[in-house]
Amino acid sequence: MTLYGVGLGPGEADLVTVRGERVLESADVVYSPGRLSRSVATEYVPESNIGDLDFPMTRDPEELRTAWKEAACEVAPRAREGDVAFVTLGDPNVYSTFGHLRRTMDAFHPEVELEIVPGVSAVTAFTTALGVEIDAGAGLALKEASGGASPSGPDRMVLFKVTDAPATHEGLDAAGYDVTYGRRLYMEQGETVVTGDPEEVAERDYYTLAYAEKRGIEKDRATAGFDAETNTDPGEADGRTAETEEGSA
Ligand SMILES: C[S@@+](CC[C@H](N)C(=O)[O-])C[C@H]1O[C@@H](n2cnc3c(N)ncnc32)[C@H](O)[C@@H]1O
């Protein structure tokens, strides 16, 4: 049968996709690598269907390989007999533990069918939460900023793992960026914070990201010039209404 990697979205149960929900509800066993992903998954899966796996909290490559081999040995027979899901917050292919499992399964249990259900990633969800628009034609880089790091270069960056916001802020500010922080966006657990003040998110919380934009970059937005005077329904002028325009969606 199949091992599904299911992206749960950022952390609110109603942001799980319809396909993700269907897979979770029909899976025989659902493995969850953390407390937060488990709390989302259990909105769709009875506790009795949550599988038991130990997940390595180490960066040592040898220990990691051993632990994932053991995890794959637990998952493989169940995925040969039935459908199994492994959940991750966000998307399973973005900075996710699922990559370790997928590579290990490919290497040692290639007979197991594998399917990935994409999830709403913090990479895109941050835009709505922070009120940011990434225009067509604009570049956006994804970087890590753990331990106070402040990567620079691209005009627009989304930074994951902002664990020391004041130190990261100092570097980014000096490099000419405006920065907004987002903590626990669309997450049921914990308090959601959106702020430009790094002191408000100074306390370490792994689920913190930042959006950094170079000061003074050119934005070529054809529709940005509308103001109260010009912002009238175009249909009023020539007898049409906006709803009758083809492709208005
Ligand atoms: C290991 S990555 C996992 C990314 C995930 N697979 C995804 O697609 O969103 C974890 C980092 O993503 C960011 N992140 C993930 N979910 C978040 C959320 N709901 N609110 C704020 N940041 C989040 C944080 O910067 C965190 O350190």
Side-chain angles (χ1 to χ4, degrees):
M1 306 283 266
T2 303
L3 165 62
Y4 292 90
V6 179
L8 297 176
E12 283 176 351
D14 58 357
L15 283 176
V16 174
T17 64
V18 174
R19 188 181 299 185
E21 178 178 349
R22 209 173 55 222
V23 168
L24 293 179
E25 284 171 351
S26 63
D28 303 301
V29 193
V30 175
Y31 295 104
S32 156
R35 198 173 43 83
L36 290 173
S37 52
R38 184 185 177 120
S39 78
V40 177
T42 49
E43 300 266 341
Y44 300 104
V45 181
E47 285 279 353
S48 55
N49 281 16
I50 299 284
D52 193 20
L53 267 192
D54 277 339
F55 296 98
M57 297 305 281
T58 171
R59 292 186 173 204
D60 179 82
E62 199 49 49
E63 278 181 48
L64 268 176
R65 278 197 290 270
T66 305
W68 282 106
K69 263 160 90 173
E70 283 169 16
C73 280
E74 150 77 21
V75 172
R78 288 172 176 264
R80 278 193 295 265
E81 288 158 18
D83 285 335
V84 169
F86 182 97
V87 295
T88 64
L89 285 176
D91 185 274
N93 275 331
V94 179
Y95 283 32
S96 161
T97 46
F98 183 69
H100 291 303
L101 182 59
R102 181 174 48 73
R103 279 183 291 276
T104 316
M105 295 297 288
D106 284 349
F108 298 101
H109 309 278
E111 74 288 358
V112 171
E113 292 279 327
L114 227 133
E115 201 175 312
I116 297 179
V117 180
V120 176
S121 174
V123 178
T124 52
F126 90 88
T127 56
T128 305
L130 270 52
V132 168
E133 180 185 355
I134 307 297
D135 304 298
L140 176 69
L142 169 60
K143 305 244 178 193
E144 273 193 35
S146 57
S150 44
S152 62
D155 283 350
R156 299 171 191 78
M157 298 181 290
V158 53
L159 305 174
F160 274 4
K161 305 185 184 178
V162 179
T163 51
D164 184 345
T168 291
H169 196 86
E170 205 178 314
L172 290 172
D173 185 51
Y177 288 91
D178 288 328
V179 192
T180 312
Y181 300 89
R183 173 166 286 179
R184 300 211 168 215
L185 308 171
Y186 303 110
M187 254 190 193
E188 272 154 22
Q189 311 264 330
E191 188 196 355
T192 296
V193 182
V194 174
T195 180
D197 179 358
E199 295 304 326
E200 278 187 48
V201 285
E203 199 178 314
R204 189 186 191 285
D205 183 327
Y206 181 68
Y207 288 97
T208 307
L209 56 71
Y211 172 64
E213 189 175 284
K214 272 260 174 72
R215 269 177 227 121
I217 52 172
E218 294 275 318
K219 291 183 183 171
D220 185 16
R221 293 170 167 165
T223 45
F226 289 147
D227 57 24
E229 274 178 330
T230 57
N231 193 11
T232 53
D233 181 346
E236 283 175 18
D238 59 9
R240 292 176 299 123
T241 64
E243 285 78 9
T244 61
E245 288 281 322
E246 263 187 51
S248 60

